[in-house]
Amino acid sequence: MSVSLPDQIRGYEAAANKILKEMDAAQALPDLARKQKEADCNRRLWPIYDALMKLTKLPEQ
């Protein structure tokens, strides 16, 4: 069974929102810990961004 495109997008969006909440919470951390947490979150966000770009890419004309 295949997952619909809107459901795939919603799944990626939920994952990205969870990571973004972690980044917001990291603002309360000391400087070094905050930077490490932000770097970790960014590393986890890029694959989601890439997947969304591939899913939503319009066919070339």
Side-chain angles (χ1 to χ4, degrees), residues 32-47:
L32 180 60
R34 178 183 50 80
K35 287 181 181 178
Q36 289 173 338
K37 184 65 172 179
E38 287 175 348
D40 174 59
C41 289
N42 281 326
R43 278 192 297 277
R44 292 168 37 217
L45 280 170
W46 276 110

Side-chain angles (χ1 to χ4, degrees), residues 15-25 41 45:
N17 284 335
K18 182 179 176 186
I19 295 168
L20 291 171
K21 284 180 184 177
E22 288 180 38
M23 285 183 83
D24 285 341
C41 289
L45 280 170

Side-chain angles (χ1 to χ4, degrees), residues 3-4 8-9 14-15 25 35 39 41-42 46 49 55 57 61:
V3 178
S4 71
Q8 288 180 38
I9 292 171
K35 287 181 181 178
C41 289
N42 281 326
W46 276 110
Y49 173 80
L55 282 175
K57 183 178 179 185
Q61 295 179 355

